[in-house]
Amino acid sequence: MSDRAAIGVELAEQFTDVAQQRRAATLGMWSWLLTELLLFAALFLIALVLRILHPDSVREAAHHLKFWIGATNTAVLICSSLTMSGAIVTSRLGWQRAMVRCMLATAALGSLFLVFKGYEYYQDYIEHMTPFLAWRPYELSGDRASQLYVSLYYVATALHAFHLTTGVAILLGLAWQARANGYLQRHQNRIEIYGLYWHFIDLMWIMVFTIIYVMNR
Amino acid sequence: MTDVAMRERTPPPATLDRPLDYLHDAHTLRSWLFTIDHKRIGILYLIAITAFFIIGAVAAGLVRLALVVPDGQIFTNDTYNKLFTIHGVVMVWFFLIPSIPATFGNFLLPLMIGAKDLAFPRLNLLSWYVFMTGAVFTLATVVIGGVDTGWTFYAPLSTTFSNTWVVPALIGVIVVGFSSILTGLNFVVTVHTMRAPGMHWFRMPIFVWTMYATSLIFLLATPVITMALILLVMERAFGIGVFDPALGGDPVLFEHLFWFYSHPAVYIMVLPGMGVISEIIPAFAQKKIFGYKFICYATIGLASITFFVWGHHMFVNGQSEYASLAFSFLSFAVAVPSAVKVYNWTATIHKGDIHLDTPMLYAMGYIGLFVLGGLTGLFLATLAIDEHIHDTYFVVAHFHYIMVGGTMLAFLGGLHFWWPKFTGRMYPEVWGRISALLIFLGFNVTFFPQFILGYLGMPRRYHVYPHEFQLLNILSSAGSTILAVGYIFPMIYLLWSLWFGKRAPSDPWNAKGLEWTTSSPPPKHNFIVPPIVDFEPYDYPVKAGESV
Ligand SMILES: [Cu+2]
């Protein structure tokens, strides 16, 4: 690559040097991820409690989940983490244009996930797998506890999809900013920090998929 | 040599025309609402929580008014339920939890570790706006519409039976939770990365340690209740059934998730108070704090044990007695680090050069009330006794001794202690002492009778009670009027002092700590010369024969 840019971080006034600023930003993101982990953990706990309270109903409900769409989505997100890592590596090398391409590829894979997810919700809808809609009664096998488990599936996947949607939006915003020359000279660490967040969304999906779809089959 | 240069440098005396201090840096409303200076954000929080405190206190006054007569004739049952819910929701979520961290923590944390600001100043301003959005929203719903679930939002009352505005109130509380998380995140990162050269972990003031521990609780506990409350909203809006046994759920699950946050929340309220007291006592005893490292470890110890005792709120809800046994034992363990702190404070006072100024009066009051509140906590942690006094006024009295006696007294003590630093003005000392004594007296007259009432069996949250309890209830209500006077005085004279108070020197109390080395009020980036720390914390003069 010929267009190799200088990389660096613009010093904010509250810090004394760039190393301190980088440390603060990294630790800040890790702290945020810790909080997010506990947010999801409460849901995982409830899923496990339901499994212990009503093992048969939960297994019944889990059979209605679209395992293969979930599995495909897992693969899609793992690929997106790969392209995000590509963005980080290229940002460190100062290859700004390659970095932007990697970011756009990541956003595209994230959006692909959302498309698949939307299709899965649509399938759920036409199967009448919507216990929370009063005007559209649940028509699959299973008792009330199965329906509760299905509702929990919606809460967990919607929470994840919300994170991913925000993630794609921020990523596109960053890619837009990174068109300008000299971006890497001022804000290289934003890519590093954002990468942590993206990998975290990926990791949370892997956990949602494992705990909601796989474990109860 | 840097030592001398650092400590002897006297900043110019505070005058209105000195351009550097943060209050006079700019005057427009805009300069306040869009400030990213941690000191101004601290003041914004102070104004906001004072307003919320007034609302919560008025509701408390009305609750006490209702309890003067035993037959519940003053308000209807619904009004009474809504009143104690306003009191609980506002005081817990919008006053006590943000009180010391968001005001003093914001203002003092960077000053105490020698930083220019918090690590993320914009995030800090954002958390104020998030806080205000959630708090004002919930306040509007609990005051205008009314909610009758109590601050605990227990299922199935909150999910199935309440006909009040539960969902909007919950949404506001969820939003406020994010403000706590962002503040905690900012503090954790600041303590880790923004310390001045030479400010090792074991040179940090105890207040910074307690802020750090509190922030960890914000980060680790708040998201769990956020999810619990989100599910409560889902339950009410869509009837999904997580907390409804008829639909396969379990209401006790809500209690677990709720107390997994809300017991640690007690330490969000109490640890910062302990931090404030640990600053006040050495200053007014003019003595190095006794057992500095033990207090640091006790702080982290409390913040850790607090995550494993939530079940002590659930001894009578049918949880396994083996779980109760473990929770009871762990709750007893909390007494150890708490006692370490109390002994260390009293040992610091012992043979000190004691000045009974207003902050010290509050600090001493704090120790007394905290001991009483803590020891009655042991009654409640005992399985057999809890069977008898669970959900009675004994519990109410116990947690008010911890929350008002602990957090509120520390808040007021700290407010007086750092008032000269915040505003550059001294408050009137005589009025300060009178109010401190009134609050101590009024508090005890209000809440001590409630221990007796509870032990005799008066349940909480009822306003109709047997006639024989009337005398003690009247005594309690009378005490609350004394308490109210004690709260109103500082609101008046502190405001008065903003214009007419004596100008404050940098260090009016002869106290140690970086915040006292800069001018009062501090300049925009806190220190004119960035400090280098080569002294130990609380390096008060050591007298002959004193062991530290
Ligand atoms: Cu507790």
Side-chain angles (χ1 to χ4, degrees):
Chain A
M1 289 271 177
S2 54
D3 56 344
R4 183 162 179 163
I7 62 167
V9 177
E10 199 171 52
L11 189 66
E13 60 177 353
Q14 70 271 25
F15 297 108
T16 45
D17 56 44
V18 168
Q20 185 189 33
Q21 182 169 351
R22 279 178 178 275
R23 262 203 325 278
T26 311
L27 184 63
M29 184 47 89
W30 276 108
S31 308
W32 175 250
L33 299 184
L34 186 65
T35 280
E36 291 262 36
L37 179 66
L38 277 137
L39 187 74
F40 279 94
L43 277 179
F44 299 154
L45 175 80
I46 294 172
L48 296 176
V49 167
L50 283 183
R51 187 187 155 87
I52 291 165
L53 286 179
H54 314 283
D56 297 331
S57 322
V58 166
R59 214 167 292 130
E60 188 67 46
H63 274 295
H64 301 308
L65 301 180
K66 281 78 194 158
F67 175 83
W68 285 109
I69 301 183
T72 315
N73 263 340
T74 310
V76 169
L77 270 197
I78 288 175
C79 290
S80 81
S81 267
L82 180 70
T83 52
M84 191 64 223
S85 301
I88 294 171
V89 171
T90 45
S91 83
R92 286 179 189 162
L93 294 170
W95 298 351
Q96 195 167 314
R97 285 179 57 194
M99 175 192 84
V100 172
R101 282 186 200 128
C102 284
M103 286 160 77
L104 291 176
T106 310
L109 286 167
S111 310
L112 184 65
F113 176 98
L114 290 172
V115 170
F116 285 149
K117 189 73 227 164
Y119 176 71
E120 186 181 350
Y121 281 152
Y122 174 70
Q123 285 293 324
D124 296 339
Y125 178 81
I126 52 179
E127 282 177 18
H128 281 242
M129 198 180 99
T130 47
F132 57 92
L133 293 180
W135 43 271
R136 198 176 170 84
Y138 188 78
E139 281 181 4
L140 297 173
S141 60
D143 57 7
R144 293 304 316 222
S146 314
Q147 300 182 29
L148 171 54
Y149 187 79
V150 168
S151 293
L152 198 69
Y153 146 83
Y154 280 109
V155 176
T157 51
L159 183 72
H160 177 266
F162 171 72
H163 277 82
L164 191 60
T165 313
T166 332
V168 170
I170 298 174
L171 192 56
L172 289 174
L174 284 175
W176 179 259
Q177 288 179 345
R179 292 168 313 140
N181 273 335
Y183 179 82
L184 277 182
Q185 202 171 351
R186 284 173 288 127
H187 299 306
Q188 191 271 331
N189 73 325
R190 288 193 186 170
I191 309 300
E192 306 250 352
I193 304 303
Y194 186 76
L196 288 175
Y197 181 66
W198 189 269
H199 293 320
F200 175 80
I201 302 176
D202 186 5
L203 179 67
M204 277 309 102
W205 173 256
I206 293 172
M207 291 184 74
V208 169
F209 182 64
T210 314
I211 292 171
I212 304 282
Y213 290 69
V214 180
M215 267 176 58
N216 300 306
R217 283 183 77 78
Chain B
M1 81 215 152
T2 44
D3 184 20
V4 175
M6 250 299 306
R7 306 307 304 278
E8 297 298 309
R9 188 179 58 72
T10 38
T15 53
L16 272 178
D17 54 9
R18 193 157 47 79
L20 282 171
D21 99 56
Y22 83 101
L23 284 172
H24 300 100
D25 189 47
H27 285 95
T28 56
L29 184 62
R30 210 188 135 77
S31 75
W32 279 90
L33 291 180
F34 292 99
T35 183
I36 52 168
D37 184 332
H38 67 99
K39 300 184 284 300
R40 285 194 165 201
I41 296 171
I43 300 297
L44 288 177
Y45 268 114
L46 182 62
I47 296 167
I49 65 165
T50 306
F52 297 146
F53 175 77
I54 292 171
I55 295 170
V58 169
L62 293 173
V63 165
R64 280 315 323 165
L65 175 68
L67 290 167
V68 168
V69 293
D71 39 14
Q73 281 184 331
I74 296 183
F75 297 113
T76 63
N77 292 346
D78 279 342
T79 311
Y80 182 77
N81 290 348
K82 286 176 181 175
L83 281 173
F84 74 67
T85 304
I86 294 176
H87 170 62
V89 167
V90 172
M91 286 300 201
V92 172
W93 303 106
F94 309 139
F95 176 73
L96 285 166
I97 286 178
S99 61
I100 295 175
T103 55
F104 304 166
N106 251 320
F107 197 102
L108 295 166
L109 186 68
L111 279 165
M112 284 181 162
I113 60 172
K116 278 197 257 183
D117 206 313
L118 289 174
F120 309 116
R122 281 195 192 81
L123 191 70
N124 196 20
L125 181 65
L126 175 71
S127 54
W128 186 75
Y129 277 102
V130 172
F131 173 68
M132 290 306 283
T133 311
V136 171
F137 186 70
T138 299
L139 259 176
T141 57
V142 295
V143 174
I144 298 165
V147 176
D148 63 356
T149 60
W151 76 279
T152 48
F153 300 112
Y154 264 24
L157 174 58
S158 61
T159 49
T160 314
F161 297 108
S162 175
N163 294 317
T164 55
W165 297 27
V166 178
V167 169
L170 285 172
I171 291 173
V173 172
I174 291 169
V175 170
V176 168
F178 282 100
S179 136
S180 302
I181 290 172
L182 295 180
T183 301
L185 185 155
N186 224 334
F187 285 2
V188 165
V189 175
T190 304
V191 170
H192 271 279
T193 61
M194 306 287 281
R195 284 170 285 126
M199 179 59 84
H200 314 311
W201 283 85
F202 286 111
R203 279 182 178 169
M204 299 193 309
I206 302 288
F207 182 76
V208 177
W209 275 94
T210 58
M211 280 301 120
Y212 181 72
T214 306
S215 303
L216 289 180
I217 301 176
F218 275 143
L219 283 177
L220 293 171
T222 317
V224 176
I225 196 165
T226 302
M227 188 41 78
L229 297 181
I230 287 175
L231 288 169
L232 215 52
V233 172
M234 297 283 168
E235 179 101 23
R236 229 182 133 81
F238 301 109
I240 62 174
V242 183
F243 305 127
D244 186 347
L247 305 180
D250 187 355
V252 174
L253 190 56
F254 177 76
E255 295 178 24
H256 278 291
L257 294 172
F258 180 84
W259 288 112
F260 182 79
Y261 165 81
S262 294
H263 183 80
V266 173
Y267 286 84
I268 292 175
M269 306 178 210
V270 171
L271 285 173
M274 293 172 159
V276 170
I277 299 306
S278 305
E279 300 302 313
I280 293 176
I281 283 177
F284 291 91
Q286 284 295 306
K287 206 159 150 257
K288 194 179 176 70
I289 199 161
F290 184 85
Y292 168 81
K293 281 200 178 176
F294 281 93
I295 305 186
C296 301
Y297 292 135
T299 301
I300 299 302
L302 281 176
S304 318
I305 304 174
T306 192
F307 279 101
F308 304 100
V309 299
W310 77 89
H312 64 211
H313 297 268
M314 300 157 57
F315 287 159
V316 299
N317 78 353
Q319 83 180 352
S320 136
E321 58 266 43
Y322 300 107
S324 290
L325 215 61
F327 282 125
S328 170
F329 176 77
L330 286 163
S331 305
F332 272 90
V334 173
V336 177
S338 308
V340 165
K341 294 195 171 202
V342 170
Y343 288 130
N344 280 328
W345 293 324
T346 43
T348 308
I349 298 174
H350 179 63
K351 286 189 177 170
D353 175 12
I354 302 167
H355 301 262
L356 288 176
D357 293 291
T358 311
M360 188 60 161
L361 291 181
Y362 279 116
M364 291 185 137
Y366 176 100
I367 297 177
L369 301 185
F370 179 72
V371 166
L372 212 60
L375 290 178
T376 49
L378 294 180
F379 289 49
L380 290 160
T382 311
L383 293 174
I385 300 180
D386 186 66
E387 290 280 330
H388 174 60
I389 52 182
H390 189 89
D391 257 354
T392 66
Y393 265 84
F394 194 90
V395 180
V396 176
H398 156 70
F399 72 71
H400 280 86
Y401 265 80
I402 296 292
M403 273 158 211
V404 187
T407 315
M408 190 63 204
L409 255 59
F411 178 76
L412 287 169
L415 191 62
H416 287 83
F417 184 50
W418 285 297
W419 189 255
K421 189 54 68 184
F422 294 165
T423 64
R425 301 283 184 161
M426 301 299 291
Y427 61 86
E429 185 58 46
V430 175
W431 285 103
R433 292 185 195 186
I434 291 173
S435 330
L437 293 173
L438 278 178
I439 288 178
F440 186 77
L441 179 74
F443 175 81
N444 280 298
V445 178
T446 309
F447 290 102
F448 200 83
Q450 297 185 5
F451 278 127
I452 305 169
L453 280 171
Y455 203 78
L456 294 176
M458 177 163 165
R460 61 192 291 201
R461 294 178 170 173
Y462 285 74
H463 71 146
V464 178
Y465 56 83
H467 280 267
E468 63 261 35
F469 292 152
Q470 189 175 14
L471 183 65
L472 285 168
N473 268 302
I474 288 179
L475 195 59
S476 178
S477 297
S480 68
T481 60
I482 305 177
L483 194 54
V485 174
Y487 288 145
I488 290 169
F489 277 167
M491 288 185 196
I492 296 169
Y493 68 71
L494 287 178
L495 271 181
W496 175 89
S497 78
L498 286 179
W499 288 275
F500 306 108
K502 213 161 65 133
R503 286 193 190 284
S506 305
D507 187 2
W509 313 116
N510 219 354
K512 305 291 178 185
L514 281 179
E515 81 267 30
W516 302 109
T517 62
T518 188
S519 57
S520 302
K524 187 160 177 250
H525 279 309
N526 297 344
F527 301 95
I528 294 161
V529 180
I532 294 167
V533 184
D534 48 10
F535 48 89
E536 295 306 307
Y538 307 100
D539 52 347
Y540 289 92
V542 179
K543 290 198 292 290
E546 184 185 305
S547 58
V548 283

